[in-house]
Amino acid sequence: MTTTDGVAARSATPSPATMAHKAQTQSNRVEVTGAQSLILALEAVGADTVFGLPGGAILPAYDPLLDSTTVRHILVRHEQGAGHAAEGYAAATGKVGVCMATSGPGATNLVTPIADAYMDSVPIVAITGQVSSRAIGTDAFQEADIRGITMPITKHNYLVTNADDIPRVIAEAFHIAATGRPGPVLVDIAKDALQSKTTFVWPPRVSLPGYHPVIKPHAKQIREAARLIQAARRPVLYVGGGVIRAHAAEDLAAFVAATGIPVVTTLMARGAFPDSHQLHLGMPGMHGSVAAVTALQKSDLLITLGARFDDRVTGELKSFAPDAKVIHADIDPAEISKNRVADVPIVGDAKAIIADLTTAVTSGEYQADPAAYQAWRETTIGWKSTFPVGYSAPSSDALMPQYVIERLGAIAGPEAVYVPGVGQHQMWAAQFIRYERPMAFANSGGLGTMGYSVPAAMGAKVAEPDRTVWAIDGDGCFQMTNQELATCVINNIPIKIAVINNSSLGMVRQWQTLFYNERYSNTDLHTSVGMRVPDFVKLAEAYGCVGLRCESPDDVDATITKAMEINDVPVLIDFVVERDAMVWPMVAAGVSNDLIQIAKDTAPQWDREESEAMEQDLDADHDGIPSGSHRPETTA
């Protein structure tokens, strides 16, 4: 066929939107290819954006995608970027994010974001092409068993070899991803299924035997929880990311108003409860606030909502909150009593559970009396006042990363979206930006994926085009996915990037300082100390972004303000910061939360009113080796 004939043939082919309308007006049936059926199904489930990269096996789907009037495709520069962008889109809105890749290496490049979404309960659907069904299992060119590879890191996955199954599978995939505990679903479609003729029928007949997420909590468990809350004198609300996924922030606020119980919010729950609220004690865990960590340790009741007692919160599990009874509410029954045995397990949606608990403690048999917790409230608020999260200003004019992030949050404000990478800058973004609303903070919590920030921020900006979106990245993380700046420029996605440039793999360097006698093995990145490889400002400009640099505390506000005024292209600021700054407080890995430190070898002293802190004679990881002693292990 000549080029002219090809153009004529394309112009004569109805768009997926036209075919969808035809299907709705003609008994919901229309004759199409499997590829056309896929695009019709995406339109029908309400997908408006797909982040992807074409290749041979998925190519049949890209032809009808070109004609869709409702699904926007954003061409990324690496499939990992597509997956993280889908995550950012979902995290900013709660809607299902969509990414697409071809077979073999295209599909395997999605494994990291799929695993990331699985760990953090992010609803995404990943669509991959597969070699033709007759070639599956022959080690064909660009064949990979992506279904087998992702089986442990997806809620569910599909291999589609029959074009007739495509509408049903897409409908089921979106339903599974978004309901119950949200998470990723993989749909792998053989190339011949995309090329075959089929009849598109919508809505399809969906059958998911055995998949019935429990939404409504059991009344008996709610009553038992209310009884424990009434009897408690030192209760704490231990709030996890499940509260955000359930859109339950307003319900949580109502419960706190009714009971006066102090709140801690995990890294994944930042914004679920306003930082400005007096009863918010901060973030618990390895780098949590003293007030949050200590309140959990000294509590007599943990009201655990959508959290999973992960190791970064509990520290040494056997010593975590030793005197506390546990109410554990989660939509995933597998999480309850997995790490800490629950005295009252409640399975259900966090929004429904919190609403029922509020009713139970305000009007039921076991009404809670806020006055009963008055002494406890005063104690926890006192800890919050005495041991605020802070940092020491350097004696020189060095630029402290904490100050940069603190000012960034103050200038951009609570309506912005903040998307950090992983490491020190992630912890500082959680500590020094004040979050007043849910979905203002998106990060890689469970998997800790370097390279998450830029593509996830891109996805968040696509989902929320009217909000300011800041990617807060480290110089190490940024170099893993910075090629997506090209995607942002070409697709008019004006994110803002703050590179916290300490010329190091910062968190690894911190551990080497504390635990490896300052033996800095392979953590120097040469991005600002001694040389600039690369020069981030020039790199940004090469991609068509605006590049700025800030090296002095006196210039921080002006530089951020200038970036805030640029809204037509992406803008990057290279903040050259003090490389020896550390994240405090800190609980070393594997030790009790009772051993929290507010600075190196310095812990809170609770027994002497005249002293706020005491020196410790053990080294920072409490293994009995004095600080400064050489140890044989030299690698992280």
Side-chain angles (χ1 to χ4, degrees):
M1 181 179 291
T2 66
T3 302
T4 303
D5 290 340
V7 171
R10 179 179 300 283
S11 64
T13 303
S15 72
T18 301
M19 289 188 290
H21 177 72
K22 181 180 178 181
Q24 292 171 357
T25 58
Q26 296 183 1
S27 303
N28 298 327
R29 303 174 69 88
V30 63
E31 296 299 318
V32 294
T33 65
Q36 290 171 320
S37 182
L38 170 63
I39 305 307
L40 286 169
L42 289 173
E43 292 181 340
V45 295
D48 55 33
T49 306
V50 174
F51 302 92
L53 188 68
I58 196 65
L59 197 57
Y62 271 80
D63 189 66
L65 182 58
L66 185 65
D67 298 319
S68 179
T69 59
T70 60
V71 179
R72 175 190 185 188
H73 181 271
I74 295 177
L75 175 63
V76 298
R77 296 306 181 266
H78 191 286
E79 292 90 354
Q80 182 182 355
H84 291 320
E87 286 189 277
Y89 177 99
T93 62
K95 295 171 59 178
V96 177
V98 187
C99 54
M100 187 181 291
T102 195
S103 63
T108 58
N109 281 342
L110 287 177
V111 169
T112 294
I114 289 172
D116 194 275
Y118 185 73
M119 290 286 280
D120 288 347
S121 305
V122 181
I124 67 170
V125 170
I127 300 169
T128 54
Q130 184 54 275
V131 300
S132 293
S133 58
R134 61 183 176 276
I136 293 175
T138 68
D139 291 332
F141 176 68
Q142 290 193 333
E143 181 189 359
D145 179 12
I146 194 62
R147 188 185 184 203
I149 290 169
T150 61
M151 189 74 75
I153 55 171
T154 52
K155 281 190 72 177
H156 194 57
N157 58 27
Y158 295 87
L159 172 61
V160 181
T161 58
N162 187 332
D164 295 342
D165 295 334
I166 290 174
R168 173 185 58 80
V169 167
I170 292 298
E172 291 179 1
F174 274 74
H175 176 71
I176 293 170
T179 55
R181 178 179 180 174
V185 178
L186 175 88
V187 178
D188 193 33
I189 309 177
K191 186 174 183 178
D192 52 335
L194 292 171
Q195 294 171 320
S196 299
K197 288 291 186 179
T198 186
T199 300
F200 177 75
V201 180
W202 196 270
R205 182 174 297 174
V206 173
S207 177
L208 292 170
Y211 182 70
H212 303 290
V214 175
I215 304 300
K216 183 68 175 173
H218 197 287
K220 178 182 177 182
Q221 301 307 94
I222 293 292
R223 188 166 58 251
E224 282 298 299
R227 183 180 65 80
L228 288 187
I229 293 169
Q230 183 193 61
R233 291 299 174 265
R234 302 189 308 278
V236 176
L237 280 156
Y238 165 23
V239 175
V243 170
I244 290 180
R245 298 288 183 256
H247 303 277
E250 291 184 2
D251 305 271
L252 175 63
F255 182 85
V256 175
T259 61
I261 295 175
V263 180
V264 303
T265 55
T266 67
L267 179 68
M268 295 305 301
R270 300 295 287 117
F273 193 70
D275 282 350
S276 58
H277 197 288
Q278 185 183 35
L279 291 179
H280 190 198
L281 304 181
M283 181 179 72
M286 175 176 278
H287 294 295
S289 70
V290 170
V293 171
T294 307
L296 291 177
Q297 285 300 97
K298 296 183 179 297
S299 67
D300 64 0
L301 176 65
L302 300 182
I303 307 167
T304 309
L305 304 172
R308 57 189 181 87
F309 291 91
D310 69 284
D311 61 294
R312 281 303 192 257
V313 168
T314 65
E316 183 186 45
L317 188 60
K318 67 181 181 181
S319 65
F320 176 69
D323 300 325
K325 293 184 180 295
V326 173
I327 298 166
H328 193 177
D330 204 289
I331 199 163
D332 184 357
E335 289 295 346
I336 295 177
S337 293
K338 182 176 76 174
N339 295 326
R340 173 70 176 260
V341 174
D343 296 277
V344 177
I346 309 175
V347 178
D349 179 74
K351 187 176 183 68
I353 290 170
I354 297 170
D356 284 1
L357 280 175
T358 302
T359 300
V361 299
T362 55
S363 61
E365 177 183 356
Y366 299 107
Q367 293 186 40
D369 179 9
Y373 318 131
Q374 180 63 31
W376 173 240
R377 278 195 298 273
E378 292 175 356
T379 298
T380 58
I381 292 171
W383 294 333
K384 181 179 174 181
S385 175
T386 303
F387 301 103
V389 175
Y391 58 95
S392 298
S395 56
S396 65
D397 60 352
L399 181 57
M400 297 302 289
Q402 301 96 321
Y403 177 72
V404 169
I405 293 173
E406 186 176 52
R407 294 307 302 155
L408 177 61
I411 293 170
E415 293 304 313
V417 178
Y418 302 92
V419 188
V422 168
Q424 288 180 313
H425 61 280
Q426 177 190 26
M427 295 298 100
W428 289 321
Q431 291 176 335
F432 293 103
I433 295 175
R434 294 176 69 82
Y435 298 99
E436 300 296 318
R437 63 177 189 87
M439 299 185 182
F441 180 73
N443 83 125
S444 173
L447 197 64
T449 303
M450 293 179 69
Y452 171 90
S453 178
V454 170
M458 177 176 71
K461 182 65 175 178
V462 170
E464 293 275 37
D466 296 329
R467 291 192 188 276
T468 299
V469 177
W470 275 97
I472 302 173
D473 221 352
D475 46 317
C477 292
F478 178 69
Q479 293 185 79
M480 294 189 174
T481 51
N482 64 41
Q483 69 275 1
E484 300 309 332
L485 291 180
T487 308
C488 292
V489 169
I490 292 169
N491 291 278
N492 300 312
I493 307 170
I495 64 171
K496 305 181 193 302
I497 307 102
V499 178
I500 309 301
N501 183 2
N502 62 3
S503 203
S504 302
L505 296 172
M507 188 62 85
V508 184
R509 180 184 172 89
Q510 175 167 332
W511 281 53
Q512 288 174 333
T513 299
L514 295 175
F515 310 140
Y516 291 88
N517 201 31
E518 300 181 6
R519 291 165 58 84
Y520 299 120
S521 174
N522 292 284
T523 48
D524 191 346
L525 294 179
H526 303 286
T527 52
S528 65
V529 176
M531 60 184 75
R532 299 192 195 277
V533 183
D535 184 318
F536 290 131
V537 172
K538 291 180 179 179
L539 181 66
E541 292 171 346
Y543 275 119
C545 306
V546 172
L548 306 172
R549 179 170 288 119
C550 180
E551 301 182 84
S552 168
D554 296 336
D555 298 331
V556 168
D557 281 20
T559 308
I560 295 171
T561 299
K562 183 175 180 180
M564 291 290 292
E565 294 169 349
I566 300 170
N567 294 304
D568 54 346
V569 294
V571 56
L572 177 148
I573 306 175
D574 178 17
F575 287 105
V576 181
V577 300
E578 167 59 49
R579 74 185 322 195
D580 289 322
M582 292 194 190
V583 182
W584 299 105
M586 181 176 179
V587 179
V591 305
S592 170
N593 281 353
D594 290 327
L595 299 176
I596 187 172
Q597 298 179 21
I598 57 176
K600 186 178 180 181
D601 299 330
T602 305
Q605 166 64 293
W606 307 111
D607 298 326
R608 293 186 301 169
E609 292 183 359
E610 68 275 11
S611 175
E612 292 185 355
M614 58 179 284
E615 292 295 317
Q616 295 185 342
D617 56 7
L618 293 180
D619 67 320
D621 60 352
H622 304 276
D623 64 357
I625 302 175
S627 296
S629 297
H630 177 69
R631 65 185 68 206
E633 302 90 344
T634 60
T635 58

